[in-house]
Amino acid sequence: MNDKLVIAGKSYSSRLLVGTGKYKDFTETRAALDASGAEIVTVAIRRTNLGQNANEPNLLDSVPMSKFTYLPNTAGCYTADDAVRTLRLARELLDGHSLVKLEVLGDPQSLYPNVIETIAAAKILVAEGFQVMVYTSDDPIVAKQLEDIGCVAIMPLASLIGSGMGILNPWNLQLVMERVKVPVIVDAGVGTASDAAIAMELGCHGVLMNTAIAGAKDPVLMASAMKKGVEAGREAFLAGRMPKKLYSASPSSPTAGIISSTRS
Amino acid sequence: MISVNINGETRQLSGSLTVAALIDEMGLTGKRVALERNGEIVPRSTFPTQRLSDGDKLEIVVAVGGG
């Protein structure tokens, strides 16, 4: 099936995007990413250890840029300024790579996005030539504003980052999808495979997750489940589901030719 | 000697140190890093020619696992 995910003019076969955080070690990270089939992976940008041993293992060795499309994020940023600085550093770090994930958080307890700072950062980043995939709330008005600014993908949360609560408001997600034309990728709060399938059945173009896989008892197996969940949900969406009807129960077997009943 | 803040820590360095020399001293040559000096990105290509000044504030970053 030629059903590629197209972001900023580039095609991807996998609609599952995966984070590289919270795994036991880099071996597990790579095994989970491989099992998930993800092509786009998020990474964080952090200070290097000043006393660093030159032979310390690093992410780039286990998750090479030659095999994966890196999506640097702005995790831990609470202001537009910090997010912009972080992504400028990321672009320099990754040889001019301009596809980025923008997230500006509002408070450390809920990790809920600060959409006002997000909008401010998006304006600056788009003007500087970044291709911005923007993490946001499920507010459809904000989503449209972010698209109008020039973001290449809108990434509304299903529920709080790391909460595993699944999709709490499918109605808002639907409103978002009705209003924007760029890809809508559910990001944050996915907990298990059915959550990912539901997102895709709603018509979302992809799903981004990290804790759902890294936080599972068997991350590699969950990664495989998520791959199938996203694919199943996408096929179900494209197949066009039967309608839900409360009062029109309709049997699947013929009503003619039933043997006479002994019931009086 | 000059006083330079690197990743939040103050270090005393020799006065005419280039960024490339600092990176080398820190064992980071050949590693994929990015550097910000006083809020501005320092392109990797200019590491050998940029000399540090007293009071410089550097951020040296790498890619790590994250969601």
Side-chain angles (χ1 to χ4, degrees), chain A residues 7-254:
Chain A
I7 302 172
K10 197 165 170 232
S11 291
Y12 303 89
S13 298
S14 172
R15 291 176 178 272
L16 175 56
L17 292 67
V18 178
T20 54
K22 292 179 164 177
Y23 296 94
K24 189 176 67 182
D25 51 39
F26 289 132
T27 306
E28 186 180 83
T29 308
R30 178 58 187 271
L33 292 184
D34 284 344
S36 76
E39 291 163 277
I40 300 174
V41 301
T42 58
V43 298
I45 305 297
R46 290 287 180 266
R47 287 170 164 176
T48 185
N49 251 327
L50 289 195
Q52 183 159 63
N53 175 358
N55 293 324
E56 236 173 66
N58 80 81
L59 182 70
L60 288 141
D61 294 333
S62 301
V63 184
M65 283 173 64
S66 53
K67 200 177 181 298
F68 297 91
T69 297
Y70 268 36
L71 190 64
N73 70 20
T74 59
C77 292
Y78 291 82
T79 65
D81 191 58
D82 286 345
V84 170
R85 278 175 60 214
T86 299
L87 291 178
R88 285 177 184 148
L89 277 162
R91 182 159 63 175
E92 175 62 23
L93 184 72
L94 303 176
D95 304 330
H97 178 78
S98 59
L99 186 70
V100 296
K101 169 174 164 175
L102 169 64
E103 58 185 292
V104 187
L105 307 180
D107 79 70
Q109 189 214 13
S110 70
L111 301 180
Y112 205 84
N114 178 331
V115 297
I116 295 169
E117 287 293 298
T118 301
I119 287 170
K123 285 179 182 161
I124 299 168
L125 292 164
V126 169
E128 290 186 9
F130 287 92
Q131 298 173 320
V132 181
M133 298 177 65
V134 59
Y135 169 64
T136 178
S137 67
D138 57 5
D139 180 327
I141 308 300
V142 169
K144 182 79 174 82
Q145 281 194 11
L146 289 166
E147 182 189 52
D148 289 344
I149 285 167
C151 293
V152 301
I154 304 299
M155 308 212 288
L157 51 77
S159 48
L160 299 185
I161 292 172
S163 71
M165 300 270 279
I167 296 173
L168 294 180
N169 195 338
W171 311 110
N172 270 44
L173 280 183
Q174 222 170 293
L175 291 176
V176 169
M177 280 183 298
E178 281 172 14
R179 275 152 184 74
V180 308
K181 295 184 185 55
V182 294
V184 175
I185 294 170
V186 168
D187 177 11
V190 168
T192 189
S194 50
D195 297 332
I198 290 170
M200 298 308 291
E201 284 170 9
L202 287 171
C204 296
H205 300 87
V207 182
L208 199 162
M209 64 181 70
N210 192 152
T211 310
I213 294 176
K217 287 195 181 68
D218 185 340
V220 177
L221 189 57
M222 182 57 87
S224 168
M226 289 298 186
K227 177 177 194 282
K228 291 168 182 158
V230 169
E231 286 169 359
R234 181 63 178 172
E235 283 190 8
F237 171 73
L238 292 175
R241 64 154 297 153
M242 61 170 280
K244 285 187 189 179
K245 301 173 292 186
L246 191 53
Y247 287 111
S248 279
S250 122
S252 304
S253 307

Side-chain angles (χ1 to χ4, degrees), chain B residues 1-29:
Chain B
M1 296 290 275
I2 57 171
S3 191
V4 173
N5 186 299
I6 308 172
N7 288 356
E9 286 182 34
T10 308
R11 291 277 169 104
Q12 302 300 321
L13 306 172
S14 82
S16 59
L17 208 64
T18 61
V19 171
L22 172 68
I23 292 291
D24 202 45
E25 239 176 61
M26 292 173 64
L28 294 172
T29 301

Side-chain angles (χ1 to χ4, degrees), chain A residues 47 54 73 85 92 95, chain B residues 31-32 36 44 59 64 67:
Chain A
R47 287 170 164 176
N73 70 20
R85 278 175 60 214
E92 175 62 23
D95 304 330
Chain B
K31 302 279 173 192
R32 189 176 281 273
E36 186 200 69
R44 270 210 296 281
E59 293 283 353
V64 301

